[in-house]
Amino acid sequence: MSEEILIIISISLIIFTSPLISKILKLPTITVEIILGAVAGYFALISEHSILELVAELGFLYLMFLAGLEVDLKKIINTSATILKKSLMYNVILFSLAAVISFYLDIGYIFIVILPLISIGVLAALKKEYGDVDWIKLSITVGLIGEIVSIFALTTVAAALEFGINSEFYKTMVLFTIFLVAMLVLYKLFHNLVWWYPEIKTYLMPERDHQEQDIRVSMAIFFLMISVMIYLHLEVAFGAFIAGTFITTFFDEHNKGLSHKLEHFGFGWLVPIFFIYIGSSFDLTSLTEDGLVKTAFLIAIAMIVIRFIASLLFVKEMGWNKFYMIGLSHSMPLTLLIAVATIAYHNHSITQFYYYAFILSAIMEVLIVMVAIRVLSNFIKPTKKVA
């Protein structure tokens, strides 16, 4: 059997069986996909291949696009000033504590960016399991702002790792700032345009759509933003994220089912390939390497502890009996943690040892946090109100 056929069959079986196994083990499907990918890589069922790497990269970009779909700029703008300020302060505390840990232990500047990362992707799984309760609502609001900060950090780090701190880096950051300003201007222009001519939305995404035009428009924006970022030599993942944010902000109310269609399209096959690929790149024999498991565990604990400390900001809103749920729910930045670790490893900023440690810690965090939330949620009175 040829290498290509073996890879296709293996990936197909993992994509099919992952949801079934995750239900049995009560783990996020993402975690199962990474683990099965690692097992497949260990038995040489999945090996390095240029086409697989390309599809995995596309899966990662689509994942960032889906992360952008979670961010509705209108909702963030309408967030109360108190919550907005506390959310920003929450991120300041996370980065400050990460800096203290990094300098004290002398473990490298990359940890200042990695330890505070927030990704709300796994929060969707918590929402499905525990419902639209108050701590999940607040976690999502705070997490949205945290994820935007994390994406900015990802873009800055990617530029620093690629060019170093020199004229090229500053040029890239100036371009990045100009790009952000241009996006804000475009947002305002398009907002005014659809306010005066609301039929534009219907024209782009008709209610009776037999050609899947809503998907076509979304993919056009997705690839257009990727092209712009490649041309400007900026972090492509940020362009994918912006594309998702644009779709949600302007078309979510008009086409309420669009986000779900795009999620089904991605999580059905494209995104899993990225996580399977990440798993296959993890050498299971490295688990016996001296200090790897301990290092991964310490990274996971450090990320959980700094979020617990930062979540003290929300004692007034949540009370002493559940403020920590905010920090716990943000302690699973699975996607962004792997993304930043992958970028850092490819740019030789971290060794393979730490690359494996970060992947392993991402899995550990999910296991630890999921169990902790399940246990602690039993002691919380169900309520639908947000303080």
Side-chain angles (χ1 to χ4, degrees):
M1 188 180 296
S2 69
E3 183 182 73
E4 290 85 356
I5 294 176
L6 191 61
I7 291 173
I8 292 171
I9 292 174
S10 300
I11 289 176
S12 299
L13 289 174
I14 293 174
I15 290 175
F16 171 70
T17 57
S18 291
L20 305 177
I21 296 173
S22 69
K23 286 181 181 178
I24 297 172
L25 300 178
K26 297 188 182 301
L27 290 174
T29 307
I30 293 172
T31 307
V32 176
E33 287 165 351
I34 294 174
I35 293 172
L36 292 180
V39 173
Y42 177 77
F43 289 104
L45 299 175
I46 298 177
S47 54
E48 290 187 12
H49 197 283
S50 58
I51 295 178
L52 174 59
E53 291 179 14
L54 180 63
V55 176
E57 176 68 15
L58 182 59
F60 166 64
L61 294 176
Y62 197 86
L63 181 65
M64 299 309 298
F65 174 70
L66 293 177
L69 287 176
E70 299 287 342
V71 180
D72 188 338
L73 294 178
K74 293 177 182 176
K75 290 182 180 179
I76 291 179
I77 292 171
N78 294 327
T79 302
S80 70
T82 302
I83 296 298
L84 189 58
K85 289 176 183 177
K86 285 192 174 184
S87 298
L88 292 173
M89 183 55 65
Y90 180 80
N91 283 276
V92 170
I93 293 173
L94 289 180
F95 278 92
S96 300
L97 291 173
V100 170
I101 293 172
S102 300
F103 288 131
Y104 181 74
L105 298 178
D106 193 23
I107 51 178
Y109 296 132
I110 192 68
F111 281 83
I112 300 175
V113 177
I114 289 180
L115 293 180
L117 288 174
I118 293 177
S119 179
I120 64 171
V122 185
L123 265 173
L126 292 177
K127 187 176 179 180
K128 286 181 181 178
E129 183 170 353
Y130 298 101
D132 204 17
V133 293
D134 55 352
W135 64 268
I136 286 183
K137 283 183 179 180
L138 187 56
S139 292
I140 290 174
T141 301
V142 177
L144 286 176
I145 296 167
E147 182 154 9
I148 292 174
V149 173
S150 296
I151 293 293
F152 286 169
L154 170 62
T155 304
T156 305
V157 168
L161 292 178
E162 183 176 354
F163 304 114
I165 307 299
N166 53 30
S167 58
E168 281 296 319
F169 169 77
Y170 292 118
K171 178 184 175 182
T172 300
M173 294 314 297
V174 169
L175 277 174
F176 180 54
T177 304
I178 294 172
F179 172 78
L180 290 177
V181 173
M183 287 297 101
L184 289 173
V185 172
L186 182 63
Y187 166 81
K188 190 65 178 177
L189 287 174
F190 194 78
H191 179 269
N192 292 334
L193 190 63
V194 296
W195 190 85
W196 284 104
Y197 304 101
E199 62 271 15
I200 291 176
K201 291 184 179 181
T202 305
Y203 178 76
L204 292 174
M205 296 183 183
E207 293 180 7
R208 294 186 179 181
D209 185 7
H210 301 294
Q211 302 296 327
E212 304 299 338
Q213 193 167 323
D214 52 355
I215 301 292
R216 293 169 185 255
V217 170
S218 301
M219 291 299 95
I221 294 172
F222 170 64
F223 284 108
L224 179 63
M225 287 305 305
I226 288 176
S227 301
V228 170
M229 300 306 274
I230 292 174
Y231 178 76
L232 295 175
H233 300 287
L234 296 175
E235 178 53 44
V236 180
F238 183 75
F241 182 83
I242 289 291
T245 302
F246 185 87
I247 294 295
T248 295
T249 302
F250 289 109
F251 296 103
D252 190 54
E253 292 181 1
H254 172 70
N255 189 336
K256 294 186 180 298
L258 178 58
S259 295
H260 294 294
K261 288 172 71 173
L262 293 170
E263 286 176 5
H264 294 164
F265 175 74
F267 283 116
W269 72 283
L270 193 55
V271 175
I273 293 177
F274 166 66
F275 288 112
I276 294 168
Y277 172 76
I278 289 297
S280 67
S281 68
F282 182 87
D283 185 4
L284 284 179
T285 58
S286 66
L287 291 174
T288 59
E289 190 173 342
D290 186 36
L292 180 66
V293 175
K294 179 183 176 181
T295 301
F297 180 73
L298 290 175
I299 291 172
I301 293 301
M303 294 182 76
I304 293 170
V305 168
I306 64 174
R307 283 160 179 76
F308 175 84
I309 295 171
S311 62
L312 284 165
L313 281 171
F314 301 101
V315 169
K316 184 178 178 180
E317 287 77 15
M318 293 288 99
W320 288 100
N321 66 324
K322 55 185 172 181
F323 76 90
Y324 48 81
M325 299 298 272
I326 306 294
L328 278 175
S329 63
H330 293 156
S331 298
M332 299 178 286
L334 192 61
T335 55
L336 282 182
L337 176 56
I338 291 173
V340 176
T342 302
I343 292 172
Y345 178 59
H346 287 164
N347 284 279
H348 309 291
S349 180
I350 59 174
T351 62
Q352 189 180 64
F353 175 86
Y354 275 108
Y355 174 65
Y356 287 158
F358 283 129
I359 293 178
L360 189 57
S361 67
I363 297 173
M364 282 183 176
E365 282 173 17
V366 173
L367 296 174
I368 295 169
V369 172
M370 281 294 189
V371 171
I373 289 178
R374 184 178 297 277
V375 172
L376 293 171
S377 64
N378 294 325
F379 302 97
I380 295 176
K381 277 188 173 183
T383 174
K384 295 286 181 177
K385 295 180 180 180
V386 180

